[in-house]
Amino acid sequence: MYKGGYTGRILRVDLTSQSAKEEAISEELAKNYLGGAGFAIKYLYDELKPGTPPLDKANKLIFAVGPLTATGAPCSSRMAVAAKSPLTNAVGMALAGGHFPAEMKRAGYDMIIIEGKAEKPTYIAIKEGEVRFRSAEKLKGMMTTDTQLFIKEELGDHNYRIACIGPAGERLVPLACIVNERRAAGRKGLGAVMGSKNLKAIAIRGHHRPEIADAEKFKKARQAMNKAMRDSEVLYPHFAKDGTPMIIDDMTKMGIYSAKNWSATGEVNLVKEQGRDAQHAMIVTSAHCADCPVGCTQVKLVKEGPYAGYLSEGPEFETTYSLGSTVGVGYLPAIIAADRLCDEYGIDTMSAGVTIGFAMELYERGLLTKQDTGGLELKFGNHQAMIEMLRQMAYREGLGAILCQGSKKAAEKIGKGSEEYAMQIKGLELPAYDVRGAKAHGLNYATSYTGADHNRGYAYQEIFGIPHPEEVDRFVIEGKGKLTKWNQDVRCVTCDCATMCAFILDMAVPDIACQNTADLVSAATGMHLAADEVQQIGERINNVARLFNGREGFSRKDDTFPKRIMTEAIKAGDSAGQLISQKDLDAMLDEYYQARGWDKNGKPTAAKLKELGL
Amino acid sequence: MYKGGYTGRILRVDLTSQSAKEEAISEELAKNYLGGAGFAIKYLYDELKPGTPPLDKANKLIFAVGPLTATGAPCSSRMAVAAKSPLTNAVGMALAGGHFPAEMKRAGYDMIIIEGKAEKPTYIAIKEGEVRFRSAEKLKGMMTTDTQLFIKEELGDHNYRIACIGPAGERLVPLACIVNERRAAGRKGLGAVMGSKNLKAIAIRGHHRPEIADAEKFKKARQAMNKAMRDSEVLYPHFAKDGTPMIIDDMTKMGIYSAKNWSATGEVNLVKEQGRDAQHAMIVTSAHCADCPVGCTQVKLVKEGPYAGYLSEGPEFETTYSLGSTVGVGYLPAIIAADRLCDEYGIDTMSAGVTIGFAMELYERGLLTKQDTGGLELKFGNHQAMIEMLRQMAYREGLGAILCQGSKKAAEKIGKGSEEYAMQIKGLELPAYDVRGAKAHGLNYATSYTGADHNRGYAYQEIFGIPHPEEVDRFVIEGKGKLTKWNQDVRCVTCDCATMCAFILDMAVPDIACQNTADLVSAATGMHLAADEVQQIGERINNVARLFNGREGFSRKDDTFPKRIMTEAIKAGDSAGQLISQKDLDAMLDEYYQARGWDKNGKPTAAKLKELGL
């Protein structure tokens, strides 16, 4: 049995009966699934009946931290939040940082499983092993910042850390997220799952520090990690100052910063308005997750003009896309305001913005009219209309009641051929990178178990030109199957399971991420994992997730792209002429499935499952 | 020397040298000035040179709690905040409740005197006697809720209580207030004084409980107070449920709920839209100040429509007037949004709204045009325009740069005879009660040392029909001089100095407020004060404040009304035909000055000063 790192305890909460019990984490679970997303997906796979409606009380909402969380390992205050997704019907898993994850570990839990459904709006207060169910009647409809403040005041201790939903989650909006402070487990509609359980918030507080199995070895591993971070040519000199928006300039230059619902990538250049310099001018301070020496989140504040007073943590690169370039908006103050409003409503900035961009294209093409929009001039670049539409989506009002379901379902409702403009895969809206100009990044979008999700296997080789495990040409198709498998497995275990921060790993130890994780986790837990064993955990979880999705009906047909990506080339810029044809996709999928040991239809073979002990 | 109640300590902070020192509170000060506003005004009078410009570093900003604060006496977590006012040039004193006052006492101070001016934006963190000066560079421009959150995170303890300014105070807007949580020391521009000192916030935390001199006697006095509160026919059955807006219906019925910049009182009836029932429908919970068993603040939340998501503590009755009836707005969601925005900007809802109402009348009369308003249709009832104008006032943009100076100075700038529409006395905008139909309430507006301030001598006899100390007819002139003196002295000592909550006193012990205060204070402090001695403290402070204002040039000529009140009668409703003519005012002033022992010009006589030991 592991001696450190973990608390060894799962809290299983039944909202229906308003009761909670503790369970132990087995050594087998720890060794095979490590933590975070590994734990959560394993439990979802074992405990959810196939076909469970995502907003049914039979769905489960799981919060899981990793074996390094709250150990003092840098950048480890992160958690996986998972459930069957109401947006994709597949595994819904999103990560969040902040202070909640470390506090959850200190309160004594590696994982919290939320089951059932409360009869009335409820929040849970957890402190040092004590679980209280409290009425959230008075919190109904509150924005997320107010929600957190009122709970802290009611509990008589403002040092609780709180994860909660806003009005969008309460209204079961499939784009709703879960917010802790101003951080979000953003994507896949997990806020709607929380809302469907009548759970407004989880407040948590604790002082337990996980034991460390081998303190000396752990100290060395930490020091090595910190040294690698200090030595990085990117991390402190740039990333700590600029945060994720630092890549707007580069992505624009590479011609893969998607614009106007992917209709104008490479043609629109917003660098002057929302690029690195523009961003820098609006930074007031940086924000740190617990145990993070970097503090990449650049807090920005609008100091004058129509959006004066709005502050957001970020907006992150993805948000400058979703509430910026893909809706044709360069004006940073509007993006900051929209970002903050999304956090307050508890709605995913990415899916919300991309869905609005989709609606804007429909409006410009005449597939939506002023009658549909309630008079809104829903054109690209109209930030007032974007902000009003966000509100309508959060509150299910007007056209928002349709758009809040995400671009896939909205297209089904709107009809008229609008499907082809819905930039989504498996129901999840596409991230910022126009993958017509970054093929492995694209294959990852197509195959991620969560839908179009850059975080499940980020092809930093293509995006940052880092030659590891090998040098790659971002326009080339060949080799991207194997690369994507590698990226997905490594990212899965290091970030999603060990819950180390992806940004830090990519910039400090891209070439030794698994070794680094193995060293830290082994020292913390006493499990003695080698780097290749660690990587195999990532592979195992990708297979379990594939099995979960397979029994929900997902197969090769769903590992695909919106029509535009396969038929329209990027028209201008450094990626002009690029697309990913059906043939390209088929070739990449064949290679990918082969590398994965899956059959031609993308189903894990018996041999592979046996190899992974499944 | 007193044995309890007080901490006995003053914290004197010099922002220029970034240093702090402690001073003792003398027995003489305690006996003669009791605490709160008494302490603050005495110190301002002694320490400020006449003619000190309010936004000069020589002005002082004083926070003072009372001898009952944090003793457990009900409804005593209140504080006086005082400085020379940039809005009136007179004594600026405003009260605030919440948790900050109790925390300040627990941190060990009866009074905090802020002097000088920091070179750069600064905040002060005070914990158990330790004072730290910290950079507020990163907080510059932040709204008040975000400011408080960032300070708590930076200090590593979210249980600090914080008083801060928003963007308005930083920009020295003379309508700026000081906010703690969602409570404000709202009026007289004290936020601008704080801003002029480059002081963004005071964060405070402590665990000291003041000693009680006679615990047995104190317990009895507390029990008597609690019993009086329980026995009140108004307090728990109504006020605890409805808060201050409960009187909208009554004030409307009495025809004294001022409307459209006092041009349409009695003609406009907003009861259906913003009266008791409408208010009640939007309440989500109540909020309590520390040590308050009542919780009169009804927290309201907009749950749908264009202002969905806005939450405010209140809006209090005065705000339903200033951001409602006097700007012709009945729509409660807009008032809630505007109320919250004022709290976030750190701007006084009352003066801001009344000044906008003034501008709306000018616009409707053609004295302001669309060119002046930047295209805004600034008509009565246009809540979008009101909300945009609040932003412009907080940020000194457009017409807001003029209006943010308050209606008196704005009228001077605008000219064209606009002065007669500026509903202000001594520069302070008028509260909700149309005093043409409540003469003593009006005389109090005219004579309060802070300008048109209902709180300095609230004529509850006229407003609520409570026959004490005698039965009064609200339309009658005679007797109102004596009554006003009585109201001002009692209110001053019980609320402003002992810092008991005015609402509670009026509803629980209107007839024995001084006796009640005497009992509680005597037991807590060991000072053995009789009720008449307590009342004399109130008189003493009103005289010191008059002396302060006198040396700044104020005299009888300033104890007056806007022209409309003296020349236009209320046109409709139960107060139709009422006005306060110059003759009426003169008669009331003569009686008032005589009752006060002041000469014909309103100057305290030597005999009176001697009697009061001044």
Side-chain angles (χ1 to χ4, degrees), chain B residues 144-195:
Chain B
T144 59
T145 298
D146 285 337
T147 297
Q148 295 176 64
L149 285 170
F150 274 83
I151 289 175
K152 289 172 174 203
E153 192 64 42
E154 180 167 284
L155 295 176
D157 182 357
H158 283 253
N159 287 317
Y160 273 88
R161 302 292 184 171
I162 296 168
C164 68
I165 56 173
E170 293 177 38
R171 282 164 180 73
L172 312 184
V173 167
L175 305 186
C177 63
I178 298 171
V179 174
N180 73 96
E181 279 147 15
R182 289 165 300 274
R183 303 279 166 157
R187 311 209 70 196
K188 299 121 205 167
L190 300 170
V193 177
M194 195 155 159

Side-chain angles (χ1 to χ4, degrees), chain A residues 505-539:
Chain A
L505 293 179
D506 282 356
M507 288 177 219
V509 291
D511 50 342
I512 52 158
C514 282
Q515 185 62 53
N516 175 281
T517 299
D519 292 347
L520 281 164
V521 171
S522 296
T525 65
M527 287 202 299
H528 305 296
L529 291 165
D532 58 347
E533 291 173 292
V534 164
Q535 188 163 342
Q536 198 189 38
I537 294 172
E539 185 179 12

Side-chain angles (χ1 to χ4, degrees), chain B residues 368-385:
Chain B
L368 284 176
T369 66
K370 246 188 187 164
Q371 206 171 349
D372 298 312
T373 65
L376 273 186
E377 187 79 302
L378 201 59
K379 284 188 171 168
F380 286 122
N382 184 347
H383 48 82
Q384 293 92 341

Side-chain angles (χ1 to χ4, degrees), chain B residues 51-80:
Chain B
T52 302
L55 299 182
D56 190 273
K57 66 181 175 191
N59 198 0
K60 306 193 180 193
L61 181 66
I62 303 183
F63 295 75
V65 296
L68 298 174
T69 306
T71 60
C75 313
S76 57
S77 178
R78 296 184 62 76
M79 64 180 169

Side-chain angles (χ1 to χ4, degrees), chain B residues 85-98:
Chain B
S85 163
L87 191 61
T88 64
N89 235 30
V91 172
M93 196 286 289
L95 296 167

Side-chain angles (χ1 to χ4, degrees), chain A residues 99 137-143 145-146 149-150 152-153 156-161 167 171 181-182 284-288 299 301-311 313 340 344-345 388 391 395 397, chain B residues 99 137-143 145-146 149-150 152-153 156-161 167 171 181-182 284-288 299 301-311 313 340 344-345 388 391 395 397:
Chain A
H99 292 268
E137 203 68 59
K138 67 176 68 166
L139 306 169
K140 226 172 136 180
M142 273 191 204
M143 308 273 250
T145 298
D146 285 337
L149 286 171
F150 274 83
K152 288 171 173 204
E153 191 64 41
D157 181 358
H158 283 253
N159 286 316
Y160 272 88
R161 300 293 184 172
R171 283 164 180 73
E181 278 147 15
R182 288 164 301 273
V284 288
T285 186
S286 59
H288 293 242
V299 178
L301 173 64
V302 185
K303 296 204 176 184
E304 58 184 5
Y307 298 109
Y310 277 102
L311 170 150
E313 291 203 0
R340 178 61 178 264
E344 295 293 352
Y345 297 143
E388 168 59 11
R391 192 194 62 74
Y395 288 89
E397 291 180 15
Chain B
H99 293 268
E137 203 67 58
K138 68 175 68 167
L139 306 169
K140 225 172 137 180
M142 275 193 202
M143 306 273 252
T145 298
D146 285 337
L149 285 170
F150 274 83
K152 289 172 174 203
E153 192 64 42
D157 182 357
H158 283 253
N159 287 317
Y160 273 88
R161 302 292 184 171
R171 282 164 180 73
E181 279 147 15
R182 289 165 300 274
V284 290
T285 186
S286 59
H288 293 240
V299 178
L301 172 64
V302 185
K303 296 208 174 182
E304 59 185 5
Y307 298 108
Y310 277 102
L311 170 151
E313 291 203 359
R340 178 62 177 263
E344 295 294 352
Y345 297 143
E388 168 59 11
R391 192 194 62 73
Y395 288 89
E397 293 180 14

